[in-house]
Amino acid sequence: MSRITLFTDSRVPCPQRLLLTIHELGLQINDIREVDISKFEHKRPEILELNPFGAVPFIRDETYDPPLMLTESRAIARYIAQAYGSSDVSAALLPDPTNVVAVAKFEEAASIELTSFDACANQLVFEELFKPSWFNGETDAEKCKLLREGLVRVVDLLDKRLTDQQFMAGGKLTVVDLFFVPYMHHLVSTVYPTLLDSRPHLSAWWERITSRESYKHLFGDSKKN
Amino acid sequence: MSRITLFTDSRVPCPQRLLLTIHELGLQINDIREVDISKFEHKRPEILELNPFGAVPFIRDETYDPPLMLTESRAIARYIAQAYGSSDVSAALLPDPTNVVAVAKFEEAASIELTSFDACANQLVFEELFKPSWFNGETDAEKCKLLREGLVRVVDLLDKRLTDQQFMAGGKLTVVDLFFVPYMHHLVSTVYPTLLDSRPHLSAWWERITSRESYKHLFGDSKKN
Protein backbone atom coordinates (compact mmCIF):
# COMPACT_ATOMS: atom_id res chain seq x y z
CA MET A 1 0.00 0.00 0.00
CA SER A 2 1.45 3.35 -1.01
CA ARG A 3 1.02 6.57 0.94
CA ILE A 4 0.01 8.42 -2.21
CA THR A 5 -3.07 10.61 -2.61
CA LEU A 6 -4.04 10.95 -6.27
CA PHE A 7 -6.05 13.94 -7.47
CA THR A 8 -7.49 13.06 -10.86
CA ASP A 9 -10.37 13.09 -13.31
CA SER A 10 -10.35 9.48 -14.45
CA ARG A 11 -12.39 10.23 -17.59
CA VAL A 12 -9.79 12.28 -19.46
CA PRO A 13 -6.57 11.45 -21.33
CA CYS A 14 -3.79 12.94 -19.18
CA PRO A 15 -4.94 11.28 -15.95
CA GLN A 16 -5.55 8.07 -17.92
CA ARG A 17 -1.89 8.08 -19.00
CA LEU A 18 -1.00 7.89 -15.33
CA LEU A 19 -3.73 5.35 -14.48
CA LEU A 20 -2.30 2.97 -17.08
CA THR A 21 1.12 3.27 -15.45
CA ILE A 22 -0.33 2.68 -11.99
CA HIS A 23 -2.10 -0.44 -13.26
CA GLU A 24 1.01 -1.76 -15.05
CA LEU A 25 3.00 -1.35 -11.84
CA GLY A 26 0.30 -2.97 -9.71
CA LEU A 27 0.58 0.05 -7.42
CA GLN A 28 -2.13 0.32 -4.75
CA ILE A 29 -3.51 3.83 -4.26
CA ASN A 30 -6.42 3.91 -1.87
CA ASP A 31 -6.86 7.64 -1.57
CA ILE A 32 -8.13 8.78 -4.98
CA ARG A 33 -9.86 12.17 -5.12
CA GLU A 34 -11.89 12.77 -8.26
CA VAL A 35 -11.80 16.40 -9.46
CA ASP A 36 -14.52 17.10 -12.04
CA ILE A 37 -12.86 19.28 -14.67
CA SER A 38 -16.13 19.68 -16.61
CA LYS A 39 -17.32 21.62 -13.53
CA PHE A 40 -13.96 23.47 -13.35
CA GLU A 41 -13.23 21.94 -9.95
CA HIS A 42 -9.51 22.01 -10.85
CA LYS A 43 -9.70 25.82 -10.66
CA ARG A 44 -11.15 25.87 -7.13
CA PRO A 45 -8.99 27.63 -4.49
CA GLU A 46 -8.35 24.47 -2.47
CA ILE A 47 -7.00 22.70 -5.59
CA LEU A 48 -5.02 25.73 -6.79
CA GLU A 49 -3.39 25.86 -3.37
CA LEU A 50 -2.13 22.31 -3.86
CA ASN A 51 -1.32 22.68 -7.58
CA PRO A 52 -1.05 26.31 -8.77
CA PHE A 53 -1.07 25.09 -12.39
CA GLY A 54 -4.73 24.16 -11.87
CA ALA A 55 -4.56 20.83 -13.64
CA VAL A 56 -4.99 17.15 -12.89
CA PRO A 57 -3.48 14.68 -12.28
CA PHE A 58 -1.23 15.51 -9.37
CA ILE A 59 -0.13 13.53 -6.34
CA ARG A 60 0.89 13.94 -2.72
CA ASP A 61 3.22 11.20 -1.49
CA GLU A 62 3.48 11.14 2.31
CA THR A 63 6.41 8.76 2.25
CA TYR A 64 8.51 11.92 2.55
CA ASP A 65 8.56 14.72 5.09
CA PRO A 66 7.48 17.18 3.84
CA PRO A 67 5.24 15.17 1.50
CA LEU A 68 6.25 15.18 -2.15
CA MET A 69 3.79 17.16 -4.27
CA LEU A 70 4.12 16.36 -7.95
CA THR A 71 2.27 17.56 -11.04
CA GLU A 72 2.47 16.64 -14.76
CA SER A 73 1.17 13.21 -15.76
CA ARG A 74 4.36 12.10 -17.51
CA ALA A 75 6.62 13.21 -14.64
CA ILE A 76 4.40 11.41 -12.11
CA ALA A 77 4.41 8.24 -14.23
CA ARG A 78 8.22 8.31 -14.41
CA TYR A 79 8.40 8.94 -10.66
CA ILE A 80 6.18 6.05 -9.62
CA ALA A 81 7.97 3.76 -12.09
CA GLN A 82 11.29 4.66 -10.45
CA ALA A 83 10.05 4.72 -6.84
CA TYR A 84 7.63 1.77 -6.93
CA GLY A 85 8.56 -0.19 -10.06
CA SER A 86 10.39 -3.47 -10.48
CA SER A 87 14.07 -3.58 -9.56
CA ASP A 88 14.45 -6.10 -12.39
CA VAL A 89 15.64 -3.91 -15.28
CA SER A 90 13.97 -6.07 -17.95
CA ALA A 91 10.58 -5.76 -16.23
CA ALA A 92 10.88 -2.08 -15.28
CA LEU A 93 8.93 0.56 -17.19
CA LEU A 94 12.08 2.69 -17.46
CA PRO A 95 15.34 2.04 -19.33
CA ASP A 96 18.36 0.62 -17.53
CA PRO A 97 19.78 3.82 -15.99
CA THR A 98 23.35 2.59 -16.45
CA ASN A 99 22.85 2.03 -20.20
CA VAL A 100 23.52 5.48 -21.68
CA VAL A 101 22.32 4.52 -25.17
CA ALA A 102 19.10 2.92 -23.88
CA VAL A 103 18.38 6.04 -21.82
CA ALA A 104 19.08 8.25 -24.86
CA LYS A 105 16.68 6.29 -27.10
CA PHE A 106 14.05 6.36 -24.33
CA GLU A 107 14.36 10.16 -24.03
CA GLU A 108 14.20 10.51 -27.82
CA ALA A 109 10.95 8.50 -27.85
CA ALA A 110 9.58 10.54 -24.93
CA SER A 111 10.33 13.76 -26.78
CA ILE A 112 8.77 12.49 -30.02
CA GLU A 113 5.58 11.59 -28.15
CA LEU A 114 5.25 15.14 -26.85
CA THR A 115 6.62 17.30 -29.66
CA SER A 116 5.26 15.31 -32.63
CA PHE A 117 2.38 12.99 -31.63
CA ASP A 118 0.74 14.91 -28.79
CA ALA A 119 1.14 18.19 -30.70
CA CYS A 120 -1.34 16.86 -33.29
CA ALA A 121 -3.36 14.18 -31.47
CA ASN A 122 -4.21 16.21 -28.38
CA GLN A 123 -5.62 19.15 -30.32
CA LEU A 124 -7.40 16.98 -32.89
CA VAL A 125 -9.16 14.88 -30.24
CA PHE A 126 -10.09 18.05 -28.38
CA GLU A 127 -11.52 19.72 -31.50
CA GLU A 128 -13.47 16.73 -32.78
CA LEU A 129 -14.45 14.94 -29.57
CA PHE A 130 -14.24 16.89 -26.31
CA LYS A 131 -14.96 20.40 -27.62
CA PRO A 132 -18.39 19.52 -29.09
CA SER A 133 -19.40 16.88 -26.53
CA TRP A 134 -18.12 18.43 -23.28
CA PHE A 135 -17.90 22.16 -23.90
CA ASN A 136 -20.67 22.78 -26.44
CA GLY A 137 -18.05 24.23 -28.77
CA GLU A 138 -17.84 24.21 -32.55
CA THR A 139 -15.16 22.11 -34.23
CA ASP A 140 -12.73 24.21 -36.30
CA ALA A 141 -12.74 22.24 -39.58
CA GLU A 142 -9.76 24.05 -41.15
CA LYS A 143 -7.64 23.50 -38.06
CA CYS A 144 -8.61 19.81 -38.01
CA LYS A 145 -7.59 19.40 -41.64
CA LEU A 146 -4.08 20.64 -40.85
CA LEU A 147 -3.89 18.53 -37.68
CA ARG A 148 -4.91 15.40 -39.62
CA GLU A 149 -2.20 16.07 -42.20
CA GLY A 150 0.37 16.50 -39.43
CA LEU A 151 -0.84 13.37 -37.66
CA VAL A 152 -0.52 11.26 -40.81
CA ARG A 153 3.12 12.34 -41.15
CA VAL A 154 3.74 11.40 -37.51
CA VAL A 155 2.13 7.95 -37.66
CA ASP A 156 4.03 7.16 -40.87
CA LEU A 157 7.27 7.94 -39.02
CA LEU A 158 6.19 5.93 -35.96
CA ASP A 159 5.37 2.98 -38.23
CA LYS A 160 8.87 3.21 -39.69
CA ARG A 161 10.40 3.52 -36.22
CA LEU A 162 8.64 0.32 -35.13
CA THR A 163 9.97 -1.71 -38.07
CA ASP A 164 12.74 -3.25 -36.03
CA GLN A 165 11.63 -2.67 -32.45
CA GLN A 166 8.55 -3.87 -30.57
CA PHE A 167 7.97 -0.76 -28.46
CA MET A 168 8.46 2.98 -28.78
CA ALA A 169 11.73 3.13 -26.85
CA GLY A 170 13.14 -0.22 -27.99
CA GLY A 171 12.62 -3.87 -27.12
CA LYS A 172 10.47 -3.57 -24.01
CA LEU A 173 7.39 -1.71 -22.81
CA THR A 174 8.19 1.60 -21.08
CA VAL A 175 6.11 4.45 -19.74
CA VAL A 176 6.55 6.16 -23.14
CA ASP A 177 4.30 3.54 -24.79
CA LEU A 178 1.69 4.29 -22.15
CA PHE A 179 2.02 8.05 -22.80
CA PHE A 180 0.74 7.45 -26.34
CA VAL A 181 -2.25 5.30 -25.34
CA PRO A 182 -5.12 7.62 -24.30
CA TYR A 183 -5.05 9.83 -27.38
CA MET A 184 -4.33 6.87 -29.66
CA HIS A 185 -7.39 5.16 -28.13
CA HIS A 186 -9.66 8.10 -28.94
CA LEU A 187 -8.21 8.43 -32.45
CA VAL A 188 -8.61 4.76 -33.33
CA SER A 189 -11.98 4.32 -31.56
CA THR A 190 -13.81 7.40 -32.81
CA VAL A 191 -11.96 10.38 -34.28
CA TYR A 192 -9.84 8.67 -36.95
CA PRO A 193 -10.73 4.93 -37.20
CA THR A 194 -8.62 4.33 -40.33
CA LEU A 195 -5.46 5.84 -38.82
CA LEU A 196 -3.59 2.54 -38.46
CA ASP A 197 -4.63 1.10 -41.85
CA SER A 198 -1.62 0.35 -44.06
CA ARG A 199 0.71 0.93 -41.13
CA PRO A 200 1.52 -2.66 -40.18
CA HIS A 201 4.21 -2.01 -37.56
CA LEU A 202 2.19 0.59 -35.71
CA SER A 203 -0.89 -1.69 -35.95
CA ALA A 204 1.09 -4.56 -34.44
CA TRP A 205 2.25 -2.27 -31.62
CA TRP A 206 -1.36 -1.23 -31.00
CA GLU A 207 -2.39 -4.90 -30.85
CA ARG A 208 0.32 -5.49 -28.25
CA ILE A 209 -0.89 -2.50 -26.23
CA THR A 210 -4.62 -3.23 -26.42
CA SER A 211 -4.16 -6.87 -25.41
CA ARG A 212 -2.61 -5.79 -22.09
CA GLU A 213 -4.63 -5.92 -18.89
CA SER A 214 -3.93 -2.23 -18.20
CA TYR A 215 -5.64 -1.20 -21.43
CA LYS A 216 -8.58 -3.58 -20.97
CA HIS A 217 -9.01 -2.43 -17.38
CA LEU A 218 -9.23 1.23 -18.41
CA PHE A 219 -11.02 1.11 -21.75
CA GLY A 220 -12.78 -2.25 -21.69
CA ASP A 221 -12.14 -5.17 -23.98
CA SER A 222 -14.04 -3.91 -27.02
CA LYS A 223 -11.40 -1.29 -28.03
CA LYS A 224 -14.46 0.71 -29.01
CA ASN A 225 -15.34 2.47 -25.77
CA MET B 1 37.49 15.63 -28.40
CA SER B 2 34.19 13.82 -28.98
CA ARG B 3 33.41 11.63 -31.96
CA ILE B 4 30.10 13.42 -32.50
CA THR B 5 28.87 14.88 -35.78
CA LEU B 6 26.26 17.58 -35.19
CA PHE B 7 23.70 18.44 -37.87
CA THR B 8 22.21 21.81 -36.99
CA ASP B 9 21.01 25.24 -38.02
CA SER B 10 22.70 27.39 -35.41
CA ARG B 11 20.37 30.34 -36.01
CA VAL B 12 17.16 28.81 -34.65
CA PRO B 13 15.85 28.04 -31.17
CA CYS B 14 15.81 24.21 -30.97
CA PRO B 15 19.42 23.80 -32.10
CA GLN B 16 20.39 26.71 -29.82
CA ARG B 17 18.96 24.82 -26.84
CA LEU B 18 21.49 22.10 -27.59
CA LEU B 19 24.34 24.53 -28.34
CA LEU B 20 23.90 26.07 -24.87
CA THR B 21 24.22 22.61 -23.33
CA ILE B 22 27.31 21.81 -25.40
CA HIS B 23 28.90 25.07 -24.26
CA GLU B 24 27.99 24.53 -20.59
CA LEU B 25 29.60 21.09 -20.74
CA GLY B 26 32.70 22.38 -22.53
CA LEU B 27 32.15 19.58 -25.06
CA GLN B 28 34.32 19.79 -28.17
CA ILE B 29 32.48 18.97 -31.40
CA ASN B 30 34.65 19.53 -34.46
CA ASP B 31 32.32 18.12 -37.10
CA ILE B 32 29.39 20.53 -37.28
CA ARG B 33 27.27 20.43 -40.43
CA GLU B 34 25.03 23.44 -40.94
CA VAL B 35 21.67 22.58 -42.53
CA ASP B 36 19.88 25.72 -43.80
CA ILE B 37 16.23 25.21 -42.87
CA SER B 38 15.19 28.46 -44.60
CA LYS B 39 16.22 26.67 -47.82
CA PHE B 40 14.45 23.47 -46.65
CA GLU B 41 17.75 21.58 -46.62
CA HIS B 42 16.38 19.52 -43.69
CA LYS B 43 13.92 17.95 -46.16
CA ARG B 44 16.60 16.83 -48.62
CA PRO B 45 16.85 13.07 -49.22
CA GLU B 46 20.35 12.73 -47.73
CA ILE B 47 19.15 14.37 -44.48
CA LEU B 48 15.84 12.45 -44.40
CA GLU B 49 17.83 9.25 -44.72
CA LEU B 50 19.72 10.13 -41.54
CA ASN B 51 16.71 11.61 -39.70
CA PRO B 52 13.33 10.64 -41.16
CA PHE B 53 11.65 13.30 -38.98
CA GLY B 54 13.34 15.91 -41.20
CA ALA B 55 14.37 18.22 -38.41
CA VAL B 56 17.52 19.58 -36.83
CA PRO B 57 19.38 19.20 -34.57
CA PHE B 58 20.43 15.57 -34.67
CA ILE B 59 23.72 13.84 -33.94
CA ARG B 60 25.75 10.83 -34.92
CA ASP B 61 28.09 9.63 -32.18
CA GLU B 62 30.74 7.23 -33.50
CA THR B 63 31.82 6.22 -30.02
CA TYR B 64 29.46 3.29 -30.54
CA ASP B 65 29.28 0.58 -33.18
CA PRO B 66 26.90 1.03 -34.89
CA PRO B 67 27.07 4.79 -34.33
CA LEU B 68 24.33 6.27 -32.15
CA MET B 69 21.91 8.41 -34.20
CA LEU B 70 19.85 10.69 -31.99
CA THR B 71 17.20 13.30 -32.74
CA GLU B 72 15.19 15.73 -30.56
CA SER B 73 17.11 18.63 -29.05
CA ARG B 74 16.08 17.93 -25.45
CA ALA B 75 16.90 14.21 -25.69
CA ILE B 76 20.32 14.99 -27.20
CA ALA B 77 21.03 17.55 -24.46
CA ARG B 78 20.15 14.99 -21.77
CA TYR B 79 22.32 12.40 -23.52
CA ILE B 80 25.45 14.52 -23.78
CA ALA B 81 24.97 15.69 -20.19
CA GLN B 82 24.90 12.04 -19.06
CA ALA B 83 27.60 10.74 -21.41
CA TYR B 84 30.02 13.69 -21.33
CA GLY B 85 29.02 15.73 -18.25
CA SER B 86 30.67 16.06 -14.87
CA SER B 87 30.69 13.03 -12.60
CA ASP B 88 30.40 15.48 -9.70
CA VAL B 89 26.65 15.46 -9.01
CA SER B 90 26.59 19.08 -7.81
CA ALA B 91 28.19 20.29 -11.07
CA ALA B 92 26.26 17.98 -13.40
CA LEU B 93 23.44 19.35 -15.55
CA LEU B 94 21.20 16.45 -14.51
CA PRO B 95 19.75 15.57 -11.10
CA ASP B 96 21.45 13.01 -8.89
CA PRO B 97 20.04 9.79 -10.40
CA THR B 98 19.93 8.09 -6.98
CA ASN B 99 17.79 10.89 -5.49
CA VAL B 100 14.25 9.88 -6.48
CA VAL B 101 12.69 13.17 -5.33
CA ALA B 102 15.29 15.30 -7.16
CA VAL B 103 14.70 13.28 -10.33
CA ALA B 104 10.92 13.68 -9.92
CA LYS B 105 11.15 17.48 -9.53
CA PHE B 106 13.50 17.64 -12.54
CA GLU B 107 11.04 15.67 -14.68
CA GLU B 108 8.18 17.87 -13.47
CA ALA B 109 10.14 20.97 -14.54
CA ALA B 110 11.03 19.35 -17.88
CA SER B 111 7.36 18.60 -18.52
CA ILE B 112 6.26 22.12 -17.55
CA GLU B 113 8.77 23.60 -20.00
CA LEU B 114 7.28 21.58 -22.85
CA THR B 115 3.58 21.40 -22.04
CA SER B 116 3.14 24.92 -20.62
CA PHE B 117 5.96 27.28 -21.66
CA ASP B 118 6.91 25.94 -25.08
CA ALA B 119 3.23 25.44 -26.00
CA CYS B 120 2.79 29.24 -25.89
CA ALA B 121 6.29 30.67 -26.44
CA ASN B 122 7.21 28.57 -29.49
CA GLN B 123 4.06 29.50 -31.42
CA LEU B 124 4.12 33.15 -30.35
CA VAL B 125 7.74 33.68 -31.41
CA PHE B 126 7.01 31.90 -34.69
CA GLU B 127 3.93 34.04 -35.40
CA GLU B 128 5.48 37.37 -34.48
CA LEU B 129 9.14 36.92 -35.39
CA PHE B 130 10.02 34.03 -37.72
CA LYS B 131 6.83 33.86 -39.79
CA PRO B 132 7.03 37.46 -41.06
CA SER B 133 10.83 37.73 -41.22
CA TRP B 134 11.79 34.29 -42.57
CA PHE B 135 8.74 32.97 -44.38
CA ASN B 136 7.05 36.13 -45.65
CA GLY B 137 3.93 35.10 -43.75
CA GLU B 138 1.28 37.21 -42.06
CA THR B 139 1.05 37.20 -38.27
CA ASP B 140 -2.30 35.88 -36.98
CA ALA B 141 -3.22 38.62 -34.50
CA GLU B 142 -6.12 36.75 -32.87
CA LYS B 143 -3.97 33.68 -32.31
CA CYS B 144 -1.20 35.85 -30.82
CA LYS B 145 -3.64 37.46 -28.40
CA LEU B 146 -4.59 34.04 -26.99
CA LEU B 147 -0.95 32.91 -26.90
CA ARG B 148 0.04 36.05 -24.98
CA GLU B 149 -2.72 35.43 -22.44
CA GLY B 150 -1.55 31.85 -22.01
CA LEU B 151 2.06 32.93 -21.71
CA VAL B 152 1.26 35.43 -18.97
CA ARG B 153 -0.37 32.68 -16.93
CA VAL B 154 2.70 30.48 -17.40
CA VAL B 155 5.27 33.12 -16.43
CA ASP B 156 3.22 34.02 -13.34
CA LEU B 157 3.40 30.37 -12.28
CA LEU B 158 7.12 30.14 -13.09
CA ASP B 159 7.71 33.28 -11.00
CA LYS B 160 5.90 31.62 -8.10
CA ARG B 161 7.85 28.38 -8.60
CA LEU B 162 11.14 30.27 -8.38
CA THR B 163 10.23 31.94 -5.07
CA ASP B 164 12.24 29.46 -3.05
CA GLN B 165 14.53 27.86 -5.60
CA GLN B 166 17.23 29.38 -7.81
CA PHE B 167 16.67 27.24 -10.90
CA MET B 168 13.75 25.54 -12.65
CA ALA B 169 14.40 22.08 -11.23
CA GLY B 170 15.69 23.15 -7.79
CA GLY B 171 18.91 24.52 -6.36
CA LYS B 172 21.26 24.04 -9.29
CA LEU B 173 21.36 24.69 -13.02
CA THR B 174 20.15 21.74 -15.11
CA VAL B 175 19.48 21.21 -18.80
CA VAL B 176 15.86 22.21 -18.13
CA ASP B 177 16.92 25.82 -17.49
CA LEU B 178 18.72 25.76 -20.83
CA PHE B 179 15.62 24.35 -22.55
CA PHE B 180 13.78 27.58 -21.67
CA VAL B 181 16.51 29.95 -22.88
CA PRO B 182 16.17 30.36 -26.69
CA TYR B 183 12.47 31.22 -26.70
CA MET B 184 12.80 33.31 -23.54
CA HIS B 185 15.59 35.22 -25.26
CA HIS B 186 13.41 36.06 -28.27
CA LEU B 187 10.46 36.99 -26.05
CA VAL B 188 12.47 39.30 -23.79
CA SER B 189 14.60 40.77 -26.59
CA THR B 190 11.95 41.51 -29.19
CA VAL B 191 8.53 39.85 -29.07
CA TYR B 192 7.46 40.68 -25.50
CA PRO B 193 10.04 42.98 -23.82
CA THR B 194 7.88 43.63 -20.72
CA LEU B 195 7.31 39.93 -20.02
CA LEU B 196 9.50 39.80 -16.91
CA ASP B 197 8.32 43.10 -15.42
CA SER B 198 6.74 42.64 -11.98
CA ARG B 199 7.97 39.06 -11.88
CA PRO B 200 10.97 39.41 -9.57
CA HIS B 201 11.86 35.74 -9.13
CA LEU B 202 11.72 34.96 -12.83
CA SER B 203 13.68 38.17 -13.53
CA ALA B 204 16.38 37.10 -11.05
CA TRP B 205 16.54 33.68 -12.74
CA TRP B 206 16.92 35.39 -16.12
CA GLU B 207 19.76 37.54 -14.73
CA ARG B 208 21.47 34.37 -13.54
CA ILE B 209 21.05 32.76 -16.97
CA THR B 210 22.10 35.77 -19.06
CA SER B 211 25.23 36.35 -16.98
CA ARG B 212 26.52 32.88 -17.88
CA GLU B 213 29.21 32.44 -20.52
CA SER B 214 27.03 30.01 -22.49
CA TYR B 215 24.36 32.68 -22.99
CA LYS B 216 26.87 35.43 -23.81
CA HIS B 217 28.65 33.14 -26.24
CA LEU B 218 25.46 32.37 -28.14
CA PHE B 219 23.52 35.63 -27.95
CA GLY B 220 26.21 38.22 -27.21
CA ASP B 221 26.53 40.33 -24.13
CA SER B 222 23.87 42.92 -24.95
CA LYS B 223 20.88 40.62 -24.27
CA LYS B 224 19.36 42.48 -27.20
CA ASN B 225 20.56 40.44 -30.17
Side-chain angles (χ1 to χ4, degrees):
Chain A
M1 183 70 61
S2 73
R3 296 181 62 194
I4 291 175
T5 303
L6 170 63
F7 297 80
T8 191
D9 184 330
S10 305
R11 305 165 301 167
V12 293
C14 290
Q16 288 175 336
R17 179 180 295 132
L18 177 56
L19 290 176
L20 287 165
T21 309
I22 289 167
H23 195 274
E24 284 284 345
L25 293 168
L27 181 64
Q28 292 298 313
I29 298 182
N30 268 25
D31 193 355
I32 297 179
R33 316 268 178 99
E34 292 287 340
V35 178
D36 188 336
I37 65 168
S38 71
K39 294 177 181 160
F40 292 93
E41 288 181 359
H42 53 310
K43 303 298 182 190
R44 285 187 182 169
E46 64 272 25
I47 297 294
L48 287 175
E49 183 135 343
L50 294 168
N51 176 17
F53 277 75
V56 286
F58 64 94
I59 64 165
R60 182 176 59 216
D61 188 342
E62 307 217 14
T63 308
Y64 308 93
D65 182 20
L68 172 65
M69 297 292 305
L70 201 63
T71 67
E72 301 288 309
S73 62
R74 294 170 183 86
I76 303 168
R78 285 171 179 247
Y79 162 70
I80 61 168
Q82 185 176 7
Y84 299 99
S86 173
S87 58
D88 171 5
V89 168
S90 66
L93 292 178
L94 296 172
D96 175 356
T98 65
N99 183 333
V100 179
V101 171
V103 171
K105 299 307 283 185
F106 170 84
E107 294 299 345
E108 181 186 60
S111 192
I112 288 169
E113 185 270 320
L114 246 169
T115 62
S116 294
F117 177 72
D118 192 80
C120 300
N122 184 323
Q123 290 189 63
L124 183 61
V125 169
F126 177 76
E127 280 291 332
E128 297 202 0
L129 186 61
F130 294 119
K131 194 175 174 187
S133 63
W134 281 46
F135 300 102
N136 239 335
E138 200 174 323
T139 299
D140 181 337
E142 183 58 30
K143 187 175 181 181
C144 289
K145 185 170 170 286
L146 293 173
L147 289 167
R148 281 173 176 257
E149 289 168 7
L151 185 65
V152 163
R153 280 194 295 275
V154 174
V155 295
D156 279 340
L157 290 163
L158 293 175
D159 189 61
K160 190 169 181 179
R161 188 175 172 87
L162 290 163
T163 305
D164 53 8
Q165 62 189 51
Q166 297 254 307
F167 294 100
M168 291 293 179
K172 68 169 187 174
L173 183 86
T174 67
V175 288
V176 171
D177 295 285
L178 306 178
F179 294 171
F180 279 90
V181 173
Y183 283 108
M184 191 65 89
H185 166 80
H186 289 300
L187 290 167
V188 172
S189 305
T190 54
V191 172
Y192 202 149
T194 61
L195 185 66
L196 303 187
D197 293 359
S198 314
R199 296 183 178 102
H201 309 297
L202 191 60
S203 294
W205 169 81
W206 189 237
E207 276 299 317
R208 284 190 281 277
I209 295 295
T210 55
S211 63
R212 297 186 76 87
E213 286 306 316
S214 61
Y215 180 88
K216 292 179 189 170
H217 178 77
L218 195 57
F219 294 113
D221 208 0
S222 70
K223 305 176 190 176
K224 291 285 178 195
N225 275 32
Chain B
M1 182 71 61
S2 73
R3 296 180 63 194
I4 292 175
T5 304
L6 170 64
F7 298 80
T8 190
D9 184 332
S10 305
R11 305 164 302 168
V12 292
C14 290
Q16 289 176 335
R17 179 181 294 132
L18 177 56
L19 289 177
L20 287 166
T21 309
I22 289 167
H23 195 274
E24 283 285 344
L25 293 168
L27 181 64
Q28 292 297 314
I29 298 182
N30 269 26
D31 193 355
I32 298 180
R33 315 269 178 100
E34 291 288 339
V35 178
D36 188 335
I37 64 168
S38 71
K39 294 177 181 161
F40 292 93
E41 288 181 358
H42 54 310
K43 304 299 182 190
R44 286 188 180 169
E46 64 271 25
I47 296 294
L48 287 174
E49 183 136 341
L50 294 168
N51 177 16
F53 277 76
V56 287
F58 64 94
I59 63 166
R60 181 175 60 215
D61 188 342
E62 307 215 15
T63 307
Y64 309 93
D65 182 21
L68 172 65
M69 298 291 307
L70 202 62
T71 68
E72 300 287 310
S73 62
R74 295 169 182 86
I76 303 168
R78 285 171 178 248
Y79 162 69
I80 61 169
Q82 186 177 5
Y84 298 99
S86 173
S87 58
D88 170 6
V89 167
S90 66
L93 291 178
L94 296 172
D96 175 355
T98 65
N99 183 333
V100 179
V101 171
V103 171
K105 298 306 283 184
F106 170 84
E107 293 299 346
E108 181 186 59
S111 192
I112 287 169
E113 186 270 320
L114 247 170
T115 63
S116 294
F117 178 72
D118 193 80
C120 300
N122 185 323
Q123 290 190 64
L124 184 61
V125 170
F126 177 77
E127 281 291 332
E128 297 202 1
L129 185 61
F130 294 119
K131 194 175 174 186
S133 63
W134 281 46
F135 300 101
N136 240 334
E138 200 175 321
T139 299
D140 182 335
E142 184 57 31
K143 187 175 180 181
C144 289
K145 184 170 171 285
L146 294 173
L147 288 168
R148 281 173 175 256
E149 289 168 7
L151 186 64
V152 163
R153 280 194 296 275
V154 174
V155 295
D156 280 341
L157 291 163
L158 292 175
D159 189 61
K160 190 169 180 179
R161 187 175 172 87
L162 290 163
T163 305
D164 53 7
Q165 62 188 53
Q166 296 254 307
F167 294 100
M168 290 293 178
K172 68 168 188 174
L173 182 86
T174 67
V175 289
V176 171
D177 295 285
L178 306 177
F179 294 171
F180 278 91
V181 172
Y183 282 109
M184 191 66 88
H185 166 79
H186 289 300
L187 290 168
V188 172
S189 305
T190 54
V191 172
Y192 202 148
T194 61
L195 185 66
L196 302 187
D197 293 0
S198 315
R199 295 181 178 101
H201 309 296
L202 191 59
S203 294
W205 168 81
W206 190 237
E207 277 299 317
R208 284 190 281 277
I209 295 295
T210 55
S211 64
R212 297 186 76 86
E213 286 306 315
S214 61
Y215 181 88
K216 292 178 189 170
H217 178 77
L218 195 58
F219 294 113
D221 208 359
S222 70
K223 305 177 192 177
K224 291 287 178 194
N225 275 30

